[in-house]
């Protein structure tokens, strides 16, 4: 039976109401001004679908010189937004000072960013600063697909006595993938859900997609995989956002997106049986997508080689080179349980396409 997200939002999965099923966290990537934050918060609150207002106060930027956040003063804006709208609040913390400041401004949810989860020193520092508190902490996956780092962060926080822990899946960095800003690699959060079934899993389609057009499909996929909530970057005027401009949506667009999600209320026996199959198929789909983008990278390099061959007047087909590749891959394939026959036909298909693109250049 299908129902709307709204109808299952009240389903408590944990005695912490912040971690209820269908949790929606929304708000700007960064707090930019008090006006921007409060305007966004009021619009979100009026639409009535958001539980927690997010805003980055300290922003970890890939390149120096970018907007690095407004710092601690943003916390008082967040507190004002909370007083006006009644929304709970969430900020990213990366140091013990961030934790202390956030707690002194009554922030309800702290999240550990992807660039922090990778660093056990930082996670330990945050865990130490949280000792003795009853804080809710959401841990984003590390930027790299290292499941052990994600698990390590959970364990460090648990050792500090933190009980209200949730996970955020925001995708993983990869080289040369153009479809996503951060490849979802769904098999990793699926494995985390298997290892920690009691921890809510929240999807962050904004940082997975890096654009606005992919948000609905990624959100729907997370709902199909029985995630517990969504964190989506929302700005009253995304076109003037100082960070992550291309992926933020307006509160109204968020509301429309949530209305479009199809949620199944409870799983029938048949569906429960199908779930492992669904998860495995998900992994196959991911791997196929990865293979296609790797093959595309390979073709790009083959093209460059084609240009060099043309300039140096070398023939496109170099049999000795092809034989050398085949021999090497056969050895590797044997170790990995792939038959020689398979390696041969697979490589033949790749090689024919490589020669075809190089011939086009050569014309
Ligand atoms: C963010 O949520 O704005 C953020 C910096 O995300 P991430 O840690 O996933 O890059
Ligand atoms: Mn962001």
């Amino acid at each position: 039976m299908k129902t709307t997200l709204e109808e299952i939002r009240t389903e408590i999965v944990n005695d912490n109401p912040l971690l209820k099923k269908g949790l929606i966290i929304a708000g700007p990537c960064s707090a930019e001004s008090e006006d921007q934050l409060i305007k966004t918060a009021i619009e979100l609150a009026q639409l009535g679908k958001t539980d927690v207002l997010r805003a980055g106060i300290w922003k970890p930027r890939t390149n120096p010189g970018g907007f690095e956040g407004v710092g601690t003063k943003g916390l008082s804006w967040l507190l004002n937004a909370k007083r006006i709208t009644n929304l709970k609040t969430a900020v990213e913390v990366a140091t013990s000072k961030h934790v202390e400041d956030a707690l002194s401004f009554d922030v309800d949810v702290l999240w550990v960013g992807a660039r922090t989860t990778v660093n056990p020193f930082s996670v330990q520092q945050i865990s130490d600063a949280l000792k003795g508190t009853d804080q809710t902490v959401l841990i984003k996956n590390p930027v790299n697909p290292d499941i052990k780092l994600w698990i390590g962060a959970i364990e460090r926080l648990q050792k500090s006595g933190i009980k209200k822990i949730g996970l955020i899946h925001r995708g993983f960095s990869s080289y040369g993938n153009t479809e996503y800003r951060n490849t979802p690699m769904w098999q990793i959060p699926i494995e985390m859900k298997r290892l920690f079934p009691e921890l809510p899993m929240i999807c962050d389609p904004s940082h997975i997609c890096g654009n606005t057009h992919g948000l609905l499909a990624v959100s729907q996929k997370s709902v199909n995989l029985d995630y517990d909530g969504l964190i989506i970057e929302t700005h009253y005027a995304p076109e003037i956002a100082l960070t992550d401009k291309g992926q933020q949506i307006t509160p109204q667009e968020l509301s429309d997106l949530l209305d479009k999600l199809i949620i199944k209320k409870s799983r029938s026996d048949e569906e429960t049986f199908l779930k492992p199959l669904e998860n495995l198929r998900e992994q196959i789909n991911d791997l196929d997508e990865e293979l296609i983008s790797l093959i595309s990278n390979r073709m790009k390099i083959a093209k460059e080689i084609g240009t060099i061959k043309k300039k140096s007047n070398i023939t496109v087909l170099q049999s000795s080179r092809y034989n050398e590749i085949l021999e090497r891959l056969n050895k590797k394939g044997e170790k990995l349980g792939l038959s020689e026959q398979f390696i041969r036909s697979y490589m033949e298909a790749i090689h024919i396409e490589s020669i075809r693109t190089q011939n086009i250049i050569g014309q």
Side-chain angles (χ1 to χ4, degrees):
M1 183 185 143
K2 284 173 191 156
T3 176
T4 62
L5 185 68
E6 192 59 33
E7 281 173 86
I8 63 152
R9 288 174 72 223
T10 45
E11 216 179 283
I12 311 289
V13 288
N14 188 300
D15 58 4
N16 173 12
L18 282 175
L19 300 183
K20 68 188 179 186
K21 195 90 178 161
L23 181 81
I24 302 298
I25 306 175
C29 175
S30 306
E32 298 165 3
S33 68
E34 183 158 23
D35 188 52
Q36 168 247 14
L37 189 59
I38 291 185
K39 253 192 193 152
T40 306
I42 290 176
E43 286 184 28
L44 285 169
Q46 278 170 350
L47 290 159
K49 289 171 185 154
T50 301
D51 304 286
V52 184
L53 175 68
R54 63 148 283 156
I57 305 291
W58 306 279
K59 300 302 297 177
R61 308 299 297 164
T62 301
N63 304 111
F67 174 67
E68 294 194 317
V70 293
T72 307
K73 72 175 175 208
L75 292 171
S76 63
W77 306 342
L78 208 53
L79 187 58
N80 274 345
K82 172 169 161 163
R83 286 186 181 134
I84 296 168
T85 61
N86 243 338
L87 291 171
K88 306 278 182 198
T89 53
V91 294
E92 174 178 349
V93 290
T95 67
S96 51
K97 175 80 167 64
H98 294 169
V99 172
E100 282 155 27
D101 287 356
L103 295 188
S104 69
F105 280 87
D106 206 18
V107 173
D108 301 284
V109 179
L110 305 181
W111 86 81
V112 178
R115 291 166 192 75
T116 306
T117 309
V118 285
N119 185 342
F121 288 129
S122 303
V123 177
Q124 190 56 51
Q125 198 190 103
I126 292 168
S127 305
D128 291 343
L130 283 165
K131 224 172 227 159
T133 70
D134 184 30
Q135 195 59 40
T136 299
V137 185
L138 303 177
I139 311 169
K140 285 205 176 192
N141 66 253
V143 278
N144 54 329
D146 183 344
I147 200 164
K148 288 191 183 143
L149 279 173
W150 208 358
I151 296 171
I154 298 171
E155 288 173 352
R156 283 176 200 278
L157 283 157
Q158 283 176 336
K159 273 195 168 170
S160 274
I162 300 303
K163 295 206 167 57
K164 297 171 188 166
I165 294 175
L167 304 175
I168 301 178
H169 169 217
R170 54 75 85 189
F172 302 86
S173 296
S174 71
Y175 180 68
N177 187 324
T178 47
E179 189 183 354
Y180 297 105
R181 177 177 174 191
N182 293 293
T183 318
M185 299 187 182
W186 295 97
Q187 68 273 26
I188 296 178
I190 287 171
E191 176 63 4
M192 289 298 277
K193 272 162 68 65
R194 192 185 67 78
L195 294 170
F196 299 93
E198 72 289 0
L199 300 188
M201 179 67 76
I202 292 163
C203 184
D204 175 351
S206 305
H207 291 92
I208 289 178
C209 296
N211 59 48
T212 57
H213 61 261
L215 296 177
L216 178 61
V218 170
S219 304
Q220 184 63 59
K221 191 151 175 172
S222 76
V223 167
N224 298 349
L225 290 170
D226 210 20
Y227 278 38
D228 302 287
L230 290 164
I231 174 166
I232 298 189
E233 286 190 340
T234 317
H235 191 298
Y236 82 93
E239 65 283 1
I240 56 164
L242 297 180
T243 56
D244 287 354
K245 193 173 171 163
Q247 68 192 34
Q248 302 205 57
I249 52 176
T250 64
Q252 185 58 54
E253 286 165 337
L254 173 74
S255 172
D256 295 345
L257 182 151
L258 296 176
D259 285 344
K260 284 186 196 142
L261 289 178
I262 297 163
I263 316 248
K264 292 187 182 170
K265 200 167 195 168
S266 60
R267 290 179 177 274
S268 62
D269 286 351
E270 191 191 357
E271 280 173 320
T272 312
F273 169 73
L274 283 175
K275 209 177 160 194
L277 190 67
E278 214 175 274
N279 289 347
L280 291 171
R281 283 185 174 151
E282 210 59 68
Q283 294 185 37
I284 292 272
N285 290 349
D286 270 355
L287 289 172
D288 282 344
E289 277 181 35
E290 237 173 276
L291 278 174
I292 292 291
S293 77
L294 287 174
I295 291 172
S296 150
N297 286 348
R298 192 189 191 286
M299 289 304 163
K300 280 181 202 144
I301 295 176
K303 253 188 203 165
E304 277 181 46
I305 293 179
T307 315
I308 295 172
K309 280 181 184 165
K310 188 184 177 196
K311 272 194 201 142
S312 333
N313 232 348
I314 303 174
T315 54
V316 165
L317 181 66
Q318 303 271 301
S319 308
S320 58
R321 166 72 180 145
Y322 181 57
N323 288 338
E324 172 203 314
I325 293 176
L326 258 190
E327 208 173 298
R328 191 167 44 79
L329 291 182
N330 272 334
K331 271 191 199 139
K332 178 143 188 156
E334 201 184 338
K335 275 191 207 145
L336 297 174
L338 298 170
S339 73
E340 197 177 327
Q341 192 191 0
F342 170 71
I343 300 273
R344 184 172 295 277
S345 41
Y346 173 76
M347 280 316 295
E348 227 169 66
I350 302 255
H351 192 223
I352 288 170
E353 181 62 8
S354 245
I355 289 178
R356 194 185 66 80
T357 48
Q358 292 190 352
N359 273 333
I360 295 172
I361 295 167
Q363 278 162 12

